[in-house]
Every structure is written in C-alpha cells, then in structure tokens.
Amino acid sequence: MSQPGLPKYNSLDEALNAIRGLKDDPLANAGTNIVISRGNPQAKILLVGEAPGPQENIKGKPFVGPAGQLLDKILQSAEFDPEADVYITNSVFRMPPGDAGKNFRKPNDKEIEFYRPFVFEIIRLMDPLVILLTGNVACQAVLQKTGITSLRGKWIEMDRRWLMPIFHPSYLLRNQSREPGSPKSLMWEDIREARRKYDELSGA
Ligand code: URA
C-alpha cells in the first residue's frame, strides 16, 4: 500500500520529520503551517481527513475546530477514545488559502496528488487495521475515486487493511437532521459498523 515516487522511510517519526521539513510542496508559498496528525500512533484505527482549516493551522493539529469537536463526539459515541484509540491525519498537510472572501478552500487535484505518497507512507508505517476516510478528498487521496454518497458505509479490503469511507463531519454540521436516512443517522450506522469490525479484527 505504498506508492512509487517517494523514498521509503524507516519509521513513522522519520516520515513525519520529512513532512515537517517540506519546502517545495504546492502550498509552501501559501504561508500556512504544516499540520500532520494527532492521537495515538500505536492505535489500530487511522482516520484520514481533508486538510487543516483555520483553527488547525493555528494549533498545529488536525480536527481541533468545530468539525473536530463533532468528530470526537462521533468517535466517543462508539466508545472510541479519540486520543488513545485513533490516529488522525489529513490528505493535505497545509491549509489551502481561500479566495472569494473565504480564508480557506478545498484542496485541488494537484495538491492531493503531491501529498498522497506521504499519506501512504503514514499508512504503511503506522500499520492500522482499520482506516476511516472522511469525505471525498480522503477517498480521492487513498482510493483515487470519489462519490462519498455511494461509497460510504462499505468496506474495502486493501493489503490486509479494512477501509471505510464515511461522511466528513463538516457535511454533518451543514445537515443537522436526524431523520432516518439523513447524513447524521447514516454516520451513526457507519461508526457502529466500524466499532464492530474493529472488535472483530482486534479479537475484543
Ligand atoms: N477538516 C479536515 O478534514 N481536517 C482538519 O484537520 C480539519 C477540518
């Protein structure tokens, strides 16, 4: 599950240091900070997000703004401790600067492609059993396809790992309904299924 085009690192720390030292990445000139991960690098679940937003850019950790607070609640609802049971990273490691009056935007294809080999090195070296891909950007980075509405909730086996696309928590912040079939209720089903798979794979 690693990709050509990047030297292989010997440890996760070595890969994280290489990412921290990036100077020629497509967002280097944006002047935003490198934000890579939080949580437990020994965890058996990796969650991949999109890119840092303004709060993450300031604090240097992924998912610490409003979407991150919701993400923590979702994980906790399935009795995952976000700091102990999960390692959290992104598909793109700097906040893409905004245009049209917004202070950030979605990452573009070129940015996703540049950081992809580093995301795959994190996966290889962290060696999770389960990977949750939040939203279309993470699906594009790891699966090289999008279509979250049909991908979500379905397991994909890749090199002995189990990957599941789930909605991005920001999408849930924009869709508050809890009716059956709503994004929130589907997320609830998906995180419970992730818990079931995790228990099965880890022999809990
Ligand atoms: N959204 C993401 O996908 N990642 C973050 O780190 C913050 C918000």
Side-chain angles (χ1 to χ4, degrees):
M1 210 172 172
S2 68
Q3 292 232 320
L6 185 76
K8 292 223 178 132
Y9 299 102
N10 292 314
S11 67
L12 183 59
D13 275 350
E14 208 184 292
L16 299 184
N17 280 334
I19 299 169
R20 279 188 204 106
L22 283 173
K23 301 222 175 339
D24 60 350
D25 53 309
L27 289 167
N29 290 336
T32 49
N33 296 320
I34 295 269
V35 176
I36 314 176
S37 54
R38 74 169 164 103
N40 179 5
Q42 262 96 47
K44 290 291 160 210
I45 307 182
L46 174 69
L47 182 137
V48 184
E50 184 179 301
Q55 306 259 357
E56 290 78 19
N57 180 48
I58 294 168
K59 295 196 179 139
K61 287 186 179 185
F63 282 108
V64 292
Q69 282 156 18
L70 178 57
L71 174 65
D72 283 358
K73 282 193 195 148
I74 293 165
L75 292 169
Q76 284 159 346
S77 75
E79 291 177 30
F80 290 124
D81 177 332
E83 291 300 318
D85 297 330
V86 188
Y87 193 57
I88 297 176
T89 191
N90 275 320
S91 304
V92 162
F93 301 116
R94 289 186 205 261
M95 179 175 89
D99 36 35
K102 281 196 77 183
N103 58 357
F104 67 109
R105 60 164 167 79
K106 261 188 180 311
N108 62 33
D109 291 351
K110 187 174 142 228
E111 290 154 0
I112 295 167
E113 270 160 43
F114 177 89
Y115 298 101
R116 175 182 293 127
F118 293 98
V119 175
F120 273 77
E121 274 299 86
I122 291 177
I123 293 172
R124 185 177 71 83
L125 294 162
M126 193 233 149
D127 197 22
L129 293 173
V130 169
I131 303 179
L132 299 176
L133 303 169
T134 65
N136 272 326
V137 170
C139 290
Q140 189 177 336
V142 176
L143 305 175
Q144 304 202 34
K145 60 180 166 189
T146 57
I148 189 65
T149 310
S150 53
L151 291 172
R152 63 138 280 279
K154 297 183 190 123
W155 290 109
I156 299 160
E157 191 180 4
M158 206 186 262
D159 295 346
R160 298 170 296 105
R161 306 183 206 286
W162 290 88
L163 285 70
M164 191 203 272
I166 58 175
F167 286 131
H168 193 285
S170 301
Y171 180 61
L172 302 185
L173 288 173
R174 297 191 300 270
N175 291 273
Q176 295 283 355
S177 159
R178 289 170 187 276
E179 294 297 301
S182 65
K184 268 201 167 161
S185 75
L186 296 173
M187 176 64 108
W188 171 237
E189 286 175 22
D190 294 348
I191 200 68
R192 278 194 304 174
E193 170 57 19
R195 176 84 232 184
R196 192 202 60 74
K197 190 75 166 178
Y198 173 85
D199 288 345
E200 176 191 299
L201 295 174
S202 59

